[in-house]
Amino acid sequence: MKHQDLASLIAKTRPLIAAMALMHTPCHIEAAATANIPVTESRAAVADAHATATTTPRNLLAPTPPMGWMTWNLFKGDISDELIRQMVDAMAENGFVEAGYNYIFIDDMWQGGRDCQNNIIPDPVKFPHGIKALADYVHSKGMKLGIYSDAAQLTCAGMTASLGFEEQDARTFASWGIDYLKYDYCNAPEDSATARQRYKAMADALSKSGRDIVLGVCEWGQRNAEEWCEESGGQLWRVSYDVRDMWKDIVHQGGMGILDIINITAPLAKHTRHGQWPDMDMLVVGLYGKSGPSADLGGVGCNDTEYQTQMSMWCMLASPLAMTNDIRKLSDTDRRILLNREVIAINQDRLASPAERVVCTDSHQIYVRKLSGDRHAIAILNHSDSNVKIETVFAQLGLNGKYNVRDVWEHRDILRKAGKWKGNVMPHETKVFVLTPCGNGR
């Protein structure tokens, strides 16, 4: 989310009025909004988490790009304890957890204000059992729970945020069992220096909380966060404004299409390394223009080829993979794209090498990424609106010698002892190959 969304979400004056009202939530409501745990017990849990646990160094918190499912694009604020439990069950039952999608990310509009001790609390209607009970359920399924806040007084949707309450909120998140914080930057100053300070304040607070909590820096790529994310304690940095469910932006209202984000990320990829990942925003695979934030600002939907390209390039460029479609209602195409273990393996490769764009023409782009095991991944993206016949000589990409070539979307070896590939690439399609060098009997 970003500041450009605010006008379409809520009237300018209403969020402040609502937030001020919620700041004065009576004490007797607190227990209902904190998992039915006695007030003294919940505060003790916060204190215990702060006092006894030891956290992992922040640069080791996200050794590979996080993978999971996020609430925002499809459901916006129409979220609840029941919905999220259903999604958790669907992810476990449909093989997503086994494939590596082990996070549930709760985005904006979960908040219920603050209690009379200024502890942030969830909306008691949406989350009648509190967040801790939900986190316990998520953890029981072998998954992790992420939550959302903002480095200002109000979030993008005008809800209670964390500026000035960083340590208190971090202790609360830790006591609930939160594993990830998406930290937005709506209603905050434009300069980079302030952003660095505010993100570092929250990162330091998370480290003091006594629980390992990954921090996603979500300032939409306007302040060069790729240069200071690690120094400020973050593990991933947003590259752009919000993704929309479209191939590319043609309406020029501020939305970002799949191709737009690829082109923004390509020159930033050099900053990718262990524990520092370019957040290209959510996957829109399977949305097909459904109403929700991703349908705003020109989000008319994509075809399956374009959705497959999003998956291909998010994996090549080592972005976090946050699905936003309805996991309870999967199509065969959703499964084929989102559960492709071979392309996911590229995303999660332990070498963590950045992908390099080595060819960029009017019709196509070619990316090369070094993988573990002396292998390389190649992505050939046709960004034009016509079929393109392409001949790629591996040596011209910096890959000398002969290679065995595997097509990760066809799941088959297509060439042996080859020095080039030649073929047709459909409009907006991305071919992805893994090259293994010949030799030693291979």
Side-chain angles (χ1 to χ4, degrees), residues 74-85:
L74 187 58
F75 294 99
K76 194 177 174 181
D78 188 18
I79 56 176
S80 67
D81 179 283
E82 180 182 10
L83 170 71
I84 292 170
R85 288 174 189 254

PDB file of all heavy atoms in Angstrom, residues 74-85:
ATOM      1  N   LEU A  74      -6.951  -9.208  -2.453  1.00  0.00           N
ATOM      2  CA  LEU A  74      -8.282  -9.748  -2.701  1.00  0.00           C
ATOM      3  C   LEU A  74      -9.296  -9.311  -1.643  1.00  0.00           C
ATOM      4  O   LEU A  74     -10.437  -8.997  -1.969  1.00  0.00           O
ATOM      5  CB  LEU A  74      -8.228 -11.274  -2.765  1.00  0.00           C
ATOM      6  CG  LEU A  74      -9.520 -11.990  -3.174  1.00  0.00           C
ATOM      7  CD1 LEU A  74      -9.990 -11.523  -4.555  1.00  0.00           C
ATOM      8  CD2 LEU A  74      -9.304 -13.503  -3.177  1.00  0.00           C
ATOM      9  N   PHE A  75      -8.855  -9.254  -0.385  1.00  0.00           N
ATOM     10  CA  PHE A  75      -9.809  -9.047   0.698  1.00  0.00           C
ATOM     11  C   PHE A  75      -9.746  -7.658   1.340  1.00  0.00           C
ATOM     12  O   PHE A  75     -10.672  -7.289   2.081  1.00  0.00           O
ATOM     13  CB  PHE A  75      -9.601 -10.103   1.786  1.00  0.00           C
ATOM     14  CG  PHE A  75      -9.938 -11.486   1.318  1.00  0.00           C
ATOM     15  CD1 PHE A  75      -8.936 -12.359   0.910  1.00  0.00           C
ATOM     16  CD2 PHE A  75     -11.253 -11.912   1.250  1.00  0.00           C
ATOM     17  CE1 PHE A  75      -9.239 -13.632   0.467  1.00  0.00           C
ATOM     18  CE2 PHE A  75     -11.573 -13.179   0.806  1.00  0.00           C
ATOM     19  CZ  PHE A  75     -10.560 -14.038   0.416  1.00  0.00           C
ATOM     20  N   LYS A  76      -8.664  -6.917   1.106  1.00  0.00           N
ATOM     21  CA  LYS A  76      -8.537  -5.582   1.691  1.00  0.00           C
ATOM     22  C   LYS A  76      -8.798  -5.656   3.199  1.00  0.00           C
ATOM     23  O   LYS A  76      -8.106  -6.372   3.904  1.00  0.00           O
ATOM     24  CB  LYS A  76      -9.488  -4.621   0.977  1.00  0.00           C
ATOM     25  CG  LYS A  76      -9.236  -3.136   1.247  1.00  0.00           C
ATOM     26  CD  LYS A  76     -10.198  -2.295   0.427  1.00  0.00           C
ATOM     27  CE  LYS A  76     -10.089  -0.838   0.762  1.00  0.00           C
ATOM     28  NZ  LYS A  76     -11.057  -0.029  -0.039  1.00  0.00           N
ATOM     29  N   GLY A  77      -9.801  -4.940   3.711  1.00  0.00           N
ATOM     30  CA  GLY A  77     -10.093  -4.974   5.135  1.00  0.00           C
ATOM     31  C   GLY A  77     -11.133  -5.984   5.538  1.00  0.00           C
ATOM     32  O   GLY A  77     -11.477  -6.108   6.724  1.00  0.00           O
ATOM     33  N   ASP A  78     -11.628  -6.755   4.578  1.00  0.00           N
ATOM     34  CA  ASP A  78     -12.661  -7.749   4.867  1.00  0.00           C
ATOM     35  C   ASP A  78     -11.999  -9.040   5.337  1.00  0.00           C
ATOM     36  O   ASP A  78     -12.069 -10.083   4.691  1.00  0.00           O
ATOM     37  CB  ASP A  78     -13.514  -7.989   3.621  1.00  0.00           C
ATOM     38  CG  ASP A  78     -14.727  -8.857   3.904  1.00  0.00           C
ATOM     39  OD1 ASP A  78     -15.092  -8.990   5.091  1.00  0.00           O
ATOM     40  OD2 ASP A  78     -15.295  -9.401   2.947  1.00  0.00           O
ATOM     41  N   ILE A  79     -11.327  -8.960   6.478  1.00  0.00           N
ATOM     42  CA  ILE A  79     -10.544 -10.068   7.004  1.00  0.00           C
ATOM     43  C   ILE A  79     -11.076 -10.456   8.377  1.00  0.00           C
ATOM     44  O   ILE A  79     -11.766  -9.680   9.036  1.00  0.00           O
ATOM     45  CB  ILE A  79      -9.047  -9.710   7.087  1.00  0.00           C
ATOM     46  CG1 ILE A  79      -8.839  -8.439   7.940  1.00  0.00           C
ATOM     47  CG2 ILE A  79      -8.465  -9.538   5.698  1.00  0.00           C
ATOM     48  CD1 ILE A  79      -7.387  -8.082   8.154  1.00  0.00           C
ATOM     49  N   SER A  80     -10.756 -11.662   8.791  1.00  0.00           N
ATOM     50  CA  SER A  80     -11.222 -12.140  10.086  1.00  0.00           C
ATOM     51  C   SER A  80     -10.395 -13.336  10.517  1.00  0.00           C
ATOM     52  O   SER A  80      -9.671 -13.943   9.711  1.00  0.00           O
ATOM     53  CB  SER A  80     -12.694 -12.555  10.004  1.00  0.00           C
ATOM     54  OG  SER A  80     -12.840 -13.699   9.165  1.00  0.00           O
ATOM     55  N   ASP A  81     -10.527 -13.676  11.777  1.00  0.00           N
ATOM     56  CA  ASP A  81      -9.908 -14.880  12.315  1.00  0.00           C
ATOM     57  C   ASP A  81     -10.354 -16.103  11.518  1.00  0.00           C
ATOM     58  O   ASP A  81      -9.536 -16.958  11.125  1.00  0.00           O
ATOM     59  CB  ASP A  81     -10.289 -15.015  13.791  1.00  0.00           C
ATOM     60  CG  ASP A  81      -9.711 -16.257  14.444  1.00  0.00           C
ATOM     61  OD1 ASP A  81     -10.249 -17.356  14.222  1.00  0.00           O
ATOM     62  OD2 ASP A  81      -8.734 -16.123  15.204  1.00  0.00           O
ATOM     63  N   GLU A  82     -11.631 -16.189  11.227  1.00  0.00           N
ATOM     64  CA  GLU A  82     -12.175 -17.336  10.510  1.00  0.00           C
ATOM     65  C   GLU A  82     -11.591 -17.453   9.106  1.00  0.00           C
ATOM     66  O   GLU A  82     -11.193 -18.541   8.668  1.00  0.00           O
ATOM     67  CB  GLU A  82     -13.695 -17.234  10.423  1.00  0.00           C
ATOM     68  CG  GLU A  82     -14.352 -18.392   9.689  1.00  0.00           C
ATOM     69  CD  GLU A  82     -15.864 -18.238   9.579  1.00  0.00           C
ATOM     70  OE1 GLU A  82     -16.385 -17.142   9.903  1.00  0.00           O
ATOM     71  OE2 GLU A  82     -16.519 -19.204   9.158  1.00  0.00           O
ATOM     72  N   LEU A  83     -11.528 -16.331   8.378  1.00  0.00           N
ATOM     73  CA  LEU A  83     -10.973 -16.347   7.023  1.00  0.00           C
ATOM     74  C   LEU A  83      -9.533 -16.838   7.034  1.00  0.00           C
ATOM     75  O   LEU A  83      -9.137 -17.687   6.222  1.00  0.00           O
ATOM     76  CB  LEU A  83     -11.047 -14.949   6.409  1.00  0.00           C
ATOM     77  CG  LEU A  83     -10.290 -14.772   5.090  1.00  0.00           C
ATOM     78  CD1 LEU A  83     -10.995 -15.503   3.964  1.00  0.00           C
ATOM     79  CD2 LEU A  83     -10.116 -13.299   4.753  1.00  0.00           C
ATOM     80  N   ILE A  84      -8.734 -16.302   7.938  1.00  0.00           N
ATOM     81  CA  ILE A  84      -7.309 -16.645   7.939  1.00  0.00           C
ATOM     82  C   ILE A  84      -7.102 -18.099   8.322  1.00  0.00           C
ATOM     83  O   ILE A  84      -6.254 -18.792   7.743  1.00  0.00           O
ATOM     84  CB  ILE A  84      -6.553 -15.673   8.860  1.00  0.00           C
ATOM     85  CG1 ILE A  84      -6.573 -14.276   8.218  1.00  0.00           C
ATOM     86  CG2 ILE A  84      -5.115 -16.144   9.090  1.00  0.00           C
ATOM     87  CD1 ILE A  84      -6.076 -13.174   9.091  1.00  0.00           C
ATOM     88  N   ARG A  85      -7.883 -18.614   9.249  1.00  0.00           N
ATOM     89  CA  ARG A  85      -7.781 -20.037   9.574  1.00  0.00           C
ATOM     90  C   ARG A  85      -8.150 -20.899   8.367  1.00  0.00           C
ATOM     91  O   ARG A  85      -7.521 -21.945   8.118  1.00  0.00           O
ATOM     92  CB  ARG A  85      -8.669 -20.376  10.767  1.00  0.00           C
ATOM     93  CG  ARG A  85      -8.133 -19.836  12.097  1.00  0.00           C
ATOM     94  CD  ARG A  85      -9.118 -20.061  13.233  1.00  0.00           C
ATOM     95  NE  ARG A  85      -8.719 -19.380  14.434  1.00  0.00           N
ATOM     96  CZ  ARG A  85      -8.210 -19.971  15.525  1.00  0.00           C
ATOM     97  NH1 ARG A  85      -8.043 -21.279  15.528  1.00  0.00           N
ATOM     98  NH2 ARG A  85      -7.888 -19.261  16.582  1.00  0.00           N
TER      99      ARG A  85
END
